[in-house]
Amino acid sequence: MEAFTTHTGRAVPLRRSNVDTDQIIPAHWLKKVTRDGFEDGLFEAWRKDADFVLNKPERQGATVLVAGPDFGTGSSREHAVWALQNYGFKAVVSSRFADIFRGNSLKNGLLTVVLEQSVVDQLWALTEADPGVEITVDLHERQVRAPGVTAGFELDENARWRLLNGLDDISITLKNEQDIAAYEASRPAHKPRTVQAA
Amino acid sequence: MGRTLAEKVWDDHVVRRAEGEPDLLFIDLHLLHEVTSPQAFDGLRQAGRQVRRLDLTIATEDHNTPTLDIDKPIADPVSRAQLETLRKNCAEFGVRLHPLGDVEQGVVHVVGPQLGLTQPGTTVVCGDSHTSTHGAFGALAFGIGTSQVEHVLATQTLPLARPKTMAITVDGELPEDVTAKDLILAIIAKIGTGGGQGYILEYRGSAIEKLSMEARMTICNMSIEAGARAGMIAPDETTFAYIKDRAHAPQGADWDEAVAYWKTLRTDDDAVFDAEVYIDAAALAPFVTWGTNPGQGLPLSAHVPDPASYEDASERLAAEKALEYMGLSAGQRLRDIKVDTVFVGSCTNGRIEDLRSAAAVLDGRKVADGVRMLVVPGSVRVALQAVEEGLDKVFTAAGAEWRHAGCSMCLGMNPDQLAPGERSASTSNRNFEGRQGKGGRTHLVSPQVAAATAVIGRLSSPADIADVPTTAGV
Ligand code: SF4
């Protein structure tokens, strides 16, 4: 997983609440057998509307999604996170996230930032007035900064440590390589094998 | 203090234990199939990782495989893509694969034990909830999600918190006509589909000790339907005899060492379970489900329950919804329920003993008019054995369809499905809404009940067809 320290980018204001994972990535995309290539499925239904904010030329290349409250509700599909990341988002800002979505996002290195709705409103106003405005999400300082805005955010220490170091569950386990190797060395010879060891 | 079987196997696999963290457990055997592995391999690829222990990993194709015309291209593009992806991934990473057409192909939980890979005191995982099947050997076996599949591929370990333990003691003699399937359906009806939540179940007692390995697998298979993390049975001489001389059984000195270790895998007399349940085997009868979860079951002699009779409001509502979906009314005799389809197969009841017992009931009789019966062996090996014993002839002579090995109608990911409103008697493990096809209605039964039902056309036990003449042996 890529480490997240600090990120600066343009934003997409998504003025909707209760954006569920079916909206983020519709069910028919779940048949795919990879975890990339979901960018075209992101908000698929809404993107059919030329006026949808993601379709606006000035929003191309934006990397911070500023969403309404209760983002990521519904099914637990991890594909929702992959779709946002495949599209290019590095961070999502909202006043409230669904639990499972938040868990999935942090596991995959997508930073979900919880801010007061008043701050979200400010960010919306800023980026709508000037799409070129850049927002900085600073995980070291646990701070979001934009012209005229400085807001702190919470994130539990373990999740923050993992994001800062780019550690997914597998990397964390692999830090115990010595223990695993020692265990393997002491395994009895009678244990089954599917093929001859190389 | 003494330890339970589950605790012994758990302790023997702890790679690392630290305060406030889950234990890091070593995994002895990782089984793969096409449905839950693609994103795991993709994750490895993206991170530039390899499969850590190819010698502890094996894959087979089962969920999407057709049971007819297996030499022709698979029509459904999604099924085909999943199978092709598994083949590509296994080739790229070097994983042993038994694809459609291979003699070792079959339902993943039939293949592991049959190869002798499932052994007492091992940890077995698979991206599939019915991995609990392997617990019949005294293995600690449980289903995992796709991100855990990736974790095991990369590290051969899993960080896990230890579940609690529950003893399910079954003493006494099972009556004739009562099988392991009836027993596990009765257990789930008793403790409920959430009764095992957070537990590893250990089935024990004199009735369990008398069961064959295949019957024990049927029981452990459905532990998950009681909500449990896993189900286990202590290994004994029956277990050792089953494993001996299989392709991957320990040989020579390794065998003696293994058996000596396996013999230690019994719950100590002074060990304490977190919960205990007792079942009197002698009081059991052939069991069938009437509803849409595996806990909604009753003896075949009973009537469809009246939802109003449930005190618990959520159970009442569940029963109401189930009856509506199943097209049944309260008070109806279970024996009066007519079926359109009979399915014998799956990782619950698709092994050779299951086919033998269904064939014994069917021998010389005919499948009732208007009933379609599908017999799908759990693996190619099971199919070959059945053919050698002439069971396929018994089935086809009765008018049943003898198919190729796979999951088939257990979940209808391939073309074997119920049509909307169609009703089946099925030896599989889940009677959820739509499980066997959109709008399909499933009654879970044993292989014997399935065969008797096929003959009569209504839910029936072998005792009900005693009067139906047979030409067998004529
Ligand atoms: S037979 Fe059914 S329960 Fe068993 S692995 Fe296949 S689909 Fe799952």
Side-chain angles (χ1 to χ4, degrees):
Chain A
M1 171 169 117
E2 231 178 286
F4 191 109
T5 47
T6 184
H7 174 78
T8 300
R10 286 180 290 112
V12 173
L14 186 66
R15 283 190 180 263
R16 293 178 196 240
S17 61
N18 279 294
V19 173
D20 64 59
T21 51
D22 255 287
Q23 306 302 330
I24 301 173
I25 186 85
H28 70 94
W29 281 85
L30 309 192
K31 292 177 183 165
K32 271 177 63 69
V33 291
T34 57
R35 60 170 79 194
D36 50 22
F38 288 97
E39 57 274 16
D40 291 339
L42 181 70
F43 302 126
E44 190 179 48
W46 294 339
R47 273 161 77 186
K48 295 199 173 109
D49 173 2
D51 284 337
F52 180 58
V53 60
L54 228 56
N55 292 332
K56 298 278 172 73
E58 67 271 22
R59 300 296 168 188
Q60 303 315 304
T63 52
V64 179
L65 183 67
V66 185
D70 293 313
F71 188 84
T73 54
S75 116
S76 63
R77 61 190 69 154
E78 216 164 311
H79 308 67
V81 173
W82 301 337
L84 287 160
Q85 290 182 310
N86 292 165
Y87 188 85
F89 286 112
K90 303 286 183 210
V92 184
V93 175
S94 167
S95 63
R96 211 159 48 218
F97 291 96
D99 276 347
I100 298 179
F101 175 82
R102 185 136 208 253
N104 285 342
S105 67
L106 298 175
K107 249 194 185 133
N108 284 277
L110 176 72
L111 183 57
T112 37
V113 182
V114 181
L115 293 176
E116 295 275 328
Q117 188 56 43
S118 56
V119 184
V120 174
D121 289 338
Q122 266 181 290
L123 294 174
W124 276 342
L126 269 175
T127 182
E128 279 167 0
D130 175 7
V133 160
E134 295 201 320
I135 297 181
T136 296
V137 181
D138 182 341
L139 186 55
H140 274 299
E141 301 296 328
R142 273 185 263 218
Q143 222 175 44
V144 170
R145 291 185 297 272
V149 177
T150 304
F153 63 87
E154 300 279 318
L155 189 68
D156 79 75
E157 208 27 65
N158 186 272
R160 178 168 173 264
W161 168 76
R162 290 171 45 165
L163 282 166
L164 284 173
N165 294 288
L167 295 176
D168 52 39
D169 283 346
I170 294 176
S171 335
I172 293 171
T173 292
L174 288 175
K175 285 190 174 268
N176 302 309
E177 171 59 36
Q178 278 191 338
D179 293 326
I180 302 174
Y183 183 92
E184 285 177 323
S186 69
R187 271 178 95 232
H190 64 74
K191 292 277 188 176
R193 288 176 194 280
T194 57
V195 286
Q196 285 317 78
Chain B
M1 196 178 73
R3 292 177 301 160
T4 63
L5 165 62
E7 287 161 347
K8 288 184 183 184
V9 180
W10 185 282
D11 289 347
D12 282 349
H13 290 84
V14 175
V15 168
R16 185 187 127 90
R17 180 169 279 168
E19 192 55 30
E21 285 177 31
D23 285 347
L24 190 62
L25 275 204
F26 193 81
I27 303 302
D28 287 317
L29 179 62
H30 188 188
L31 306 163
L32 298 166
H33 63 70
E34 75 274 15
V35 181
T36 49
S37 62
Q39 271 97 3
F41 279 112
D42 212 38
L44 285 189
R45 202 175 287 121
Q46 283 180 16
R49 292 181 175 127
Q50 295 296 315
V51 176
R52 183 183 181 95
R53 295 293 300 262
L54 290 168
D55 61 331
L56 305 182
T57 310
I58 187 168
T60 182
E61 300 174 353
D62 52 10
H63 285 65
N64 286 280
T65 52
T67 58
L68 286 174
D69 301 328
I70 65 162
D71 44 347
K72 303 219 176 88
I74 296 167
D76 178 47
V78 175
S79 289
R80 196 172 57 227
Q82 289 200 335
L83 292 174
E84 281 168 0
T85 304
L86 182 68
R87 290 173 197 177
K88 196 173 72 46
N89 284 331
C90 286
E92 179 184 336
F93 287 90
V95 173
R96 171 175 169 187
L97 166 69
H98 295 293
L100 186 61
D102 186 276
V103 69
E104 300 296 352
Q105 179 260 342
V107 180
V108 66
H109 310 307
V110 177
V111 168
Q114 169 179 288
L115 284 169
L117 283 167
T118 304
Q119 295 179 15
T122 55
T123 44
V124 181
V125 299
C126 176
D128 190 282
S129 56
H130 292 98
T131 308
S132 58
T133 313
H134 307 262
F137 291 80
L140 181 58
F142 46 88
I144 56 178
T146 293
S147 52
Q148 290 175 305
V149 170
E150 183 183 342
H151 197 282
V152 176
L153 286 172
T155 70
Q156 204 58 36
T157 64
L158 268 185
L160 291 167
R162 200 177 76 190
K164 294 176 287 182
T165 58
M166 180 189 290
I168 297 192
T169 305
V170 190
D171 279 325
E173 282 289 334
L174 283 176
E176 208 190 330
D177 268 13
V178 176
T179 68
K181 181 64 163 290
D182 303 304
L183 171 56
I184 186 64
L185 285 174
I187 290 171
I188 299 166
K190 182 177 169 115
I191 70 174
T193 50
Q197 219 150 46
Y199 291 99
I200 298 172
L201 311 181
E202 181 182 332
Y203 305 96
R204 55 212 310 257
S206 59
I208 300 289
E209 284 160 24
K210 277 179 227 138
L211 295 175
S212 70
M213 282 320 294
E214 302 203 349
R216 293 180 192 184
M217 284 189 251
T218 300
I219 291 185
C220 288
N221 173 274
M222 290 192 70
S223 305
I224 187 78
E225 299 333 319
R229 198 75 182 86
M232 301 176 87
I233 294 173
D236 58 12
E237 293 301 329
T238 306
T239 321
F240 310 155
Y242 181 96
I243 297 171
K244 195 157 175 39
D245 298 330
R246 287 187 185 265
H248 291 265
Q251 305 289 322
D254 278 347
W255 171 261
D256 298 335
E257 219 178 276
V259 172
Y261 169 58
W262 296 347
K263 285 184 172 165
T264 67
L265 298 172
R266 305 195 71 82
T267 292
D268 296 327
D269 290 339
D270 58 341
V272 180
F273 289 94
D274 297 303
E276 299 216 39
V277 173
Y278 294 91
I279 308 266
D280 176 10
L284 296 173
F287 225 77
V288 301
T289 61
W290 51 268
T292 51
N293 75 53
Q296 292 175 321
L298 280 170
L300 181 58
S301 56
H303 298 73
V304 174
D306 184 351
S309 67
Y310 289 92
E311 292 195 5
D312 182 89
S314 69
E315 271 186 58
R316 194 180 321 131
L317 189 69
E320 277 167 13
K321 286 180 64 180
L323 291 196
E324 195 192 321
Y325 180 85
M326 294 294 288
L328 299 173
S329 32
Q332 211 177 338
R333 269 168 31 113
L334 292 173
R335 277 199 161 89
D336 288 341
I337 297 174
K338 284 187 68 176
V339 306
D340 310 290
T341 296
V342 173
F343 171 66
V344 174
S346 88
C347 59
T348 313
N349 283 127
R351 284 171 289 266
I352 190 69
E353 285 177 13
D354 301 312
L355 300 193
R356 279 180 197 141
S357 64
V361 174
L362 218 52
D363 196 5
R365 299 192 166 97
K366 288 276 182 225
V367 173
D369 283 343
V371 174
R372 131 177 106 140
M373 180 174 184
L374 249 60
V375 184
V376 183
S379 70
V380 176
R381 290 273 181 212
V382 170
L384 291 175
Q385 177 71 29
V387 168
E388 198 178 307
E389 297 177 18
L391 304 182
D392 59 325
K393 296 268 170 7
V394 174
F395 291 123
T396 49
E401 297 177 43
W402 171 249
R403 295 290 188 88
H404 188 82
C407 293
S408 178
M409 199 182 269
C410 177
L411 87 168
M413 261 184 108
N414 74 353
D416 307 338
Q417 298 179 4
L418 294 180
E422 261 190 331
R423 188 182 297 282
S424 77
S426 175
T427 66
S428 54
N429 45 47
R430 283 185 174 153
N431 51 346
F432 299 158
E433 291 186 13
R435 166 84 174 179
Q436 295 190 296
K438 205 162 185 284
R441 296 160 167 166
T442 303
H443 296 275
L444 300 178
V445 298
S446 72
Q448 281 94 320
V449 168
T453 300
V455 172
I456 306 256
R458 282 175 275 115
L459 292 179
S460 306
S461 70
D464 299 328
I465 61 165
D467 300 339
V468 179
T470 161
T471 57
V474 177

